[in-house]
Amino acid sequence: MKARIIVTLKTGVLDPQGKAIESALKSFGIDDVGSVRQGKVFDVEIAATDGTDAEATLKAACEKLLANTVVENYAIEIV
Amino acid sequence: MKARIIVTLKTGVLDPQGKAIESALKSFGIDDVGSVRQGKVFDVEIAATDGTDAEATLKAACEKLLANTVVENYAIEIV
C-alpha cells in the first residue's frame, strides 16, 4: 500500500525559505506569484493491507518523527 | 488563486534522506514501513485568475527554480 504524507508549516509560522523562493522567483521575472510556503512530502510504501491500520501507523510516524506538531501540520493520503 | 507544486525525485535516483528516515522509523519501532522517499511541496498564491495562465507561470517557476528537472519530477495542482 502506498501513502503520501504532506507536512506544511502552520499558518502564522514564519517561513523564511518560502520568502527567499518568492524573491528569487521575482528576480527571475516571474512577478505574479504572491506568497510561497514550502513544506515536505514523504512517499511511503507500507506493509499494512488495511487502510485504517496503515493510517494509524503513519500517524504514529508523523507524530514521532516526520512532523514537528508544534509548528507543523500533516496530512496523510492513502494512494 | 492557490496552487500546490509537488517536487519528487525521479524513480531510480538515490534518496539517502529517505533511506535515513526509513531506518529512523524502524528504530522508533515502526516496522511495517517499506521504502520512504522525500520530496518538497510549495504552496503558492498566484495573481492570475485564469487556470491556464496560472499553470504556465508555475511551469516556468518549476523549470527555472523549483525543480531540478534532471533528477526531479514536478506536479502542479490548482486548488
Side-chain angles (χ1 to χ4, degrees):
Chain A
M1 190 175 267
K2 282 184 179 192
R4 170 163 278 180
I5 298 167
I6 293 180
V7 176
T8 48
L9 282 173
K10 288 186 176 169
T11 17
V13 177
L14 277 181
D15 180 10
Q17 199 171 0
K19 285 275 167 229
I21 293 166
E22 219 177 291
S23 49
L25 284 174
K26 277 174 190 148
S27 77
F28 276 120
I30 301 171
D31 289 315
D32 54 344
V33 164
S35 79
V36 178
R37 289 179 74 78
Q38 186 172 0
K40 286 169 284 184
V41 58
F42 303 96
D43 286 321
V44 180
E45 191 89 54
I46 187 159
T49 48
D50 174 63
T52 328
D53 281 3
E55 209 152 321
T57 307
L58 293 172
K59 205 172 167 224
C62 288
E63 297 280 342
K64 284 188 187 165
L65 183 74
L66 302 177
N68 172 359
T69 52
V70 178
V71 291
E72 290 172 329
N73 290 322
Y74 61 84
I76 298 167
E77 284 167 43
I78 307 285
V79 283
Chain B
M1 191 173 264
K2 283 185 178 190
R4 170 163 278 180
I5 297 167
I6 293 180
V7 176
T8 48
L9 282 173
K10 288 185 177 171
T11 18
V13 177
L14 277 181
D15 179 11
Q17 201 172 1
K19 284 273 169 232
I21 294 167
E22 218 178 291
S23 49
L25 284 174
K26 280 179 185 142
S27 76
F28 277 120
I30 301 170
D31 290 315
D32 54 346
V33 164
S35 79
V36 178
R37 288 179 74 80
Q38 184 171 2
K40 288 170 282 185
V41 56
F42 303 95
D43 285 321
V44 180
E45 191 89 56
I46 187 158
T49 48
D50 174 65
T52 328
D53 280 3
E55 208 152 322
T57 306
L58 293 172
K59 204 170 167 225
C62 288
E63 298 280 342
K64 284 187 187 167
L65 184 74
L66 301 178
N68 172 358
T69 52
V70 178
V71 288
E72 290 172 330
N73 289 322
Y74 60 86
I76 299 167
E77 285 167 42
I78 307 286
V79 284

